[in-house]
Amino acid sequence: MGRKEAAIAVNRFGLGARPGEMDTAASNPKRWLLEQLEGPYVEPAEFKGFPTTAQHRENQYYRYSISGRELNEAQRKARERGDDKEVDRLAGDIRRSLRGYVTWVAESLMREYGARTNVAMSSKEPFRERLVRFWSNHLVVPAIKQSSNVVAGAYEREVIRPGVTGKFGDMLQASAKNPAMLVFLDNNLSIGPNSQFGKTKKSGLNENLAREILELHTMGVEGGYTQADVIELAKAITGWSTFPVFEHAAFQLDGRAGSPRGSFVFHPEWHEPGDVRVLGKVYKAGGVEQGEAILHDLARRPETARYLATKLARHFVADEPPPELVNRLAKVYLANDTDLTEMTRALVEAPEAWAHPQTKLKQPEDYAISCYRTLGLRLTEKPLPPQPMYNFQAYDYPKANWAWLADDPYGTLQTKDVNQFKDPAQRQGALVAAFYGDVKSMGQSPMNAPGPQGWYDRWSDWSGADSMLKRVEWSLALASAHAAKAPQPKTFLASSLGELASPELASAVAQAKGKEQGVGLALASPDFQRR
């Protein structure tokens, strides 16, 4: 293996070559990749102090069941005693609470995104980061509604990051029990109709999580399961919940909020009694272990192995991956009891992964990150720290209006100019939000996939004319801003694409009139956008 394989390693498997990374990988590209899978998981320093899903859930209880309820109750009492001045004052507080909380949620997401993106831009283990993004998109919790928005980042940190080199069976269990997934797919509200609580309250079964476990997390839509299997799995995971569940607060708050508060809770009174039959196998009546047993078996089915192998090969090799490669990956997965390190190792060792032409199109976020990496940039010079948990009295939300640079549905800002924020801390946040907004303009809202299926992963999903034009415009502007600190264009091309650069691109870059034009040609080129 030589320079071409090093270029494949840092681009196809990684997130784009940081300065000097091509040389580091060149001595042994396969070993460079596989070494990133070794050793215990160590959380990047950028995530220090960020809240857990449980802390977010408890804070949401404060927002809606304590702070919000107290304001509404105070206004009701003022109205009853005819104190119009106090009613109006409290109306202002309620408006401030509503606007403040949605701003806090937006700021929280941007701070998570800033930390996540700085890790990706500076990581010396870019292959591991790619795996984090792949599996996070597979067992996805997108920030598409407020209750999942605040926990999407924490979910990835708790479930996906530690799990990418472990066993898929373990990661599946951790995902299904995490408050973020339970809330996103409404299983926290799923109550067996024949359970003790269900018969009293006439509450019903929710099939969302069960359906997505079968259709998207394990066997795939063509895996051979039926609607009856969905219903039976949904019964088996009734009572899998988390604090708070506002719809059943009076019942759930009876000393049962999880340990720590806001984490996974099993309510036996909500669990559907009796045996269930899933995919022809009977699982005896029980508590939380009934659902756990089904997930254990689902992770080890050949349909799951093939589904996961196909997605992994499609992501890293080709939109239509070679069947022989898929079969080998699936066999390794089953032979090693769902061990993802071994399946990933088999991918790296596969000849197809190195021989296949560069036909994969980078998704917009990966493209933007690879541009920053090859220029040696980060979003912010210093890590963007987490903000304190939401508190109505303490939170000064106008100071966080920079978060609306990413997406401003309420028309808060008069301009998208980052320079409107002069305070150093606000400007740091504004740089993160502006980058997010740039990626969004290319057609992808990071950490916010359109649904439980995640982002699609074929060339046709990302090659629309408007999206491609936005990439070119953005990359040329980036080159204009940073080319002065880049090496000469020929050297820049060699260190970023190496032998993956076409003769046509190499010729154009060599004839460029200055570094700005040369770097811009390289970043905007089809060669750089493929992997």
Side-chain angles (χ1 to χ4, degrees), residues 7 493-494 496-506 509 525 527-528 530:
L493 186 64
S496 59
L497 285 179
E499 294 185 22
L500 297 182
S502 65
E504 293 79 10
L505 177 60
V509 168
S525 69
D527 295 357
F528 194 89
R530 295 194 295 259

Side-chain angles (χ1 to χ4, degrees), residues 206-284:
N206 190 296
E207 301 172 11
N208 290 352
L209 179 56
R211 177 175 292 103
E212 307 313 352
I213 286 173
L214 288 165
E215 179 180 328
L216 299 174
H217 298 173
T218 58
M219 298 176 66
V221 69
E222 297 178 356
Y225 66 88
T226 67
Q227 175 60 18
D229 294 317
V230 172
I231 294 173
E232 292 291 280
L233 175 55
K235 291 178 181 177
I237 58 175
T238 48
W240 290 30
S241 189
T242 181
F243 167 87
V245 179
F246 301 107
E247 291 81 352
H248 306 298
F251 175 82
Q252 192 194 3
L253 296 185
D254 184 20
R256 197 180 297 162
S259 180
R261 283 169 61 91
S263 56
F264 175 78
V265 174
F266 177 67
H267 296 305
E269 299 90 343
W270 294 14
H271 186 66
E272 180 71 5
D275 300 348
V276 298
R277 180 185 293 272
V278 177
L279 299 167
K281 180 176 178 178
V282 174
Y283 295 85
K284 293 296 184 182

Side-chain angles (χ1 to χ4, degrees), residues 8 21 40 142 179-181 320 394 407 432:
I8 292 172
E21 193 167 70
M181 184 66 77
E320 300 301 329
D407 186 24
V432 172

Side-chain angles (χ1 to χ4, degrees), residues 219-504:
M219 298 176 66
V221 69
E222 297 178 356
Y225 66 88
T226 67
Q227 175 60 18
D229 294 317
V230 172
I231 294 173
E232 292 291 280
L233 175 55
K235 291 178 181 177
I237 58 175
T238 48
W240 290 30
S241 189
T242 181
F243 167 87
V245 179
F246 301 107
E247 291 81 352
H248 306 298
F251 175 82
Q252 192 194 3
L253 296 185
D254 184 20
R256 197 180 297 162
S259 180
R261 283 169 61 91
S263 56
F264 175 78
V265 174
F266 177 67
H267 296 305
E269 299 90 343
W270 294 14
H271 186 66
E272 180 71 5
D275 300 348
V276 298
R277 180 185 293 272
V278 177
L279 299 167
K281 180 176 178 178
V282 174
Y283 295 85
K284 293 296 184 182
V288 68
E289 70 277 3
Q290 188 180 46
E292 291 173 340
I294 299 173
L295 295 188
H296 175 278
D297 290 350
L298 284 174
R300 292 159 177 80
R301 290 188 65 91
E303 299 91 343
T304 299
R306 183 167 186 81
Y307 179 61
L308 298 181
T310 300
K311 288 191 70 173
L312 188 68
R314 174 175 294 131
H315 185 71
F316 283 99
V317 180
D319 286 357
E320 300 301 329
E324 299 83 0
L325 173 60
V326 171
N327 290 337
R328 288 203 306 279
L329 296 180
K331 288 180 181 178
V332 169
Y333 172 88
L334 291 173
N336 290 277
D337 193 35
T338 81
D339 191 308
L340 296 181
T341 294
E342 293 307 314
M343 185 163 71
T344 306
R345 188 187 308 278
L347 174 70
V348 172
E349 297 287 357
E352 298 95 327
W354 301 89
H356 204 279
Q358 276 60 51
T359 58
K360 291 293 298 182
L361 181 64
K362 294 176 183 176
Q363 296 180 11
E365 186 183 15
D366 283 358
Y367 170 66
I369 287 171
S370 66
C371 288
Y372 265 60
R373 280 182 66 89
T374 201
L375 286 166
L377 302 174
R378 287 168 52 99
L379 273 185
T380 57
E381 292 183 8
K382 297 180 180 179
L384 195 66
Q387 87 270 48
M389 301 306 287
Y390 175 74
N391 182 286
F392 169 65
Q393 300 296 338
Y395 186 57
D396 188 4
Y397 73 86
K399 290 184 178 179
N401 279 342
W402 56 262
W404 298 116
L405 284 171
D407 186 24
D408 191 10
Y410 306 107
T412 301
L413 302 176
Q414 294 182 349
T415 173
K416 289 287 189 178
D417 186 2
V418 171
N419 293 319
Q420 67 186 289
F421 298 99
K422 306 299 183 184
D423 176 80
Q426 293 180 31
R427 184 171 176 79
Q428 286 253 103
L431 292 172
V432 172
F435 182 86
Y436 185 104
D438 289 341
V439 174
K440 186 175 186 290
S441 74
M442 299 179 207
Q444 185 176 30
S445 297
M447 299 179 71
N448 195 11
Q453 76 281 1
W455 296 108
Y456 292 117
D457 205 8
R458 289 184 169 90
W459 178 285
S460 58
D461 300 316
W462 302 107
S463 58
D466 183 63
S467 174
M468 299 304 289
L469 177 61
K470 291 286 174 51
R471 293 186 190 213
V472 171
E473 293 173 342
W474 179 84
S475 61
L476 294 178
L478 186 70
S480 176
H482 297 283
K485 296 181 180 179
Q488 291 300 317
K490 289 178 65 175
T491 303
F492 177 80
L493 186 64
S495 65
S496 59
L497 285 179
E499 294 185 22
L500 297 182
S502 65
E504 293 79 10

